[in-house]
Amino acid sequence: AQSVTQPDIHITVSEGASLELRCNYSYGATPYLFWYVQSPGQGLQLLLKYFSGDTLVQGIKGFEAEFKRSQSSFNLRKPSVHWSDAAEYFCAVGVGSGYSTLTFGKGTMLLVSP
Amino acid sequence: SQTIHQWPATLVQPVGSPLSLECTVEGTSNPNLYWYRQAAGRGLQLLFYSVGIGQISSEVPQNLSASRPQDRQFILSSKKLLLSDSGFYLCAWRGTGRGYGYTFGSGTRLTVV
């Protein structure tokens, strides 16, 4: 079965600094990959997704992620963090074009310091 | 455009009482529907999903059940709540074509007292 690992439970970044959140997956073929963001007490919002093609994908709110097959990774990046980016971030993987369910990582909580 | 509605937003229920959480989707047909639960520090736990009317897949044996009486309606129920049922419940839908991610509802905070 596929699995998703987000090795960082918490990350603190200064406002204006760059951000990279790590995500590794375990699956033999190329999965469908997603990043979601959740503000406190809210549902999850899709930031970006990767299915095929260009391995660098752009998302909303200035986020991007890069798929690296050799490392089984799909790390999320942002060049300059804003205080409003403080939230929990989830990486997820779906297997096969007709996947029924997504497997989520346990999330990374992003704290932004002034 | 598609929208997902989930209610109520918050709920405080005594132990042993019944539960009914409702989720509806608009603007699409034959969606995949999902119920997830978030407990503090435990990430997202898939509870149930449905790929069609009357079809329910249960991921975790527990005190809860789900039903899909209509194409775009998904209900999470319990006959008798336990303290351990407290958590944040999220409904989500997904289109059945290639390339769809989940779209989540705004969630229900359930506190069992």
Side-chain angles (χ1 to χ4, degrees):
Chain A
Q2 67 273 17
S3 65
V4 180
T5 302
Q6 294 180 246
D8 303 306
I9 298 175
H10 295 97
I11 281 186
T12 300
V13 175
S14 298
E15 190 169 15
S18 63
L19 169 70
E20 183 169 30
L21 301 182
R22 296 182 291 165
C23 173
N24 293 95
Y25 65 90
S26 172
Y27 179 61
T30 300
Y32 292 74
L33 297 162
F34 305 83
W35 274 101
Y36 286 85
V37 61
Q38 184 182 32
S39 297
Q42 301 297 315
L44 279 72
Q45 181 183 22
L46 179 66
L47 284 176
L48 46 77
K49 58 187 177 183
Y50 172 79
F51 294 145
S52 63
D54 192 348
T55 56
L56 183 64
V57 293
Q58 303 296 320
I60 62 171
K61 304 185 179 187
F63 286 91
E64 66 178 26
E66 185 172 13
F67 169 62
K68 293 185 177 180
R69 184 190 307 274
S70 62
Q71 299 177 19
S72 297
S73 69
F74 189 56
N75 293 350
L76 182 71
R77 302 194 295 245
K78 187 170 185 178
S80 177
V81 169
H82 188 261
W83 64 266
S84 59
D85 294 323
E88 190 158 22
Y89 292 80
F90 293 91
C91 181
V93 60
V95 174
S97 62
Y99 60 89
S100 295
T101 64
L102 292 180
T103 299
F104 285 84
K106 294 191 179 300
T108 297
M109 181 65 73
L110 172 64
L111 305 175
V112 180
S113 61
Chain B
S1 63
Q2 303 94 350
T3 56
I4 179 169
H5 302 281
Q6 187 180 343
W7 67 93
T10 59
L11 194 59
V12 180
Q13 292 284 95
V15 169
S17 65
L19 172 73
S20 180
L21 302 181
E22 188 165 343
C23 173
T24 59
V25 181
E26 295 178 356
T28 188
S29 60
N30 196 32
N32 287 1
L33 296 170
Y34 306 86
W35 279 110
Y36 280 84
R37 177 170 62 196
Q38 270 185 309
R42 296 183 60 185
L44 287 153
Q45 180 186 33
L46 178 62
L47 302 176
F48 302 95
Y49 72 94
S50 171
V51 299
I53 296 175
Q55 189 281 330
I56 307 294
S57 295
S58 174
E59 292 295 303
V60 181
Q62 59 210 328
N63 186 42
L64 302 171
S65 62
S67 62
R68 184 171 177 172
Q70 300 180 40
D71 181 42
R72 290 168 289 179
Q73 183 184 32
F74 205 25
I75 297 172
L76 182 69
S77 303
S78 174
K79 292 182 179 179
K80 290 185 178 181
L81 284 168
L82 307 172
L83 287 175
S84 58
D85 292 323
S86 293
F88 191 54
Y89 288 81
L90 288 159
C91 180
W93 76 274
R94 172 183 175 264
T96 52
R98 181 177 179 272
Y100 278 92
Y102 288 5
T103 298
F104 284 86
S106 54
T108 295
R109 172 70 61 190
L110 172 66
T111 304
V112 182
V113 297

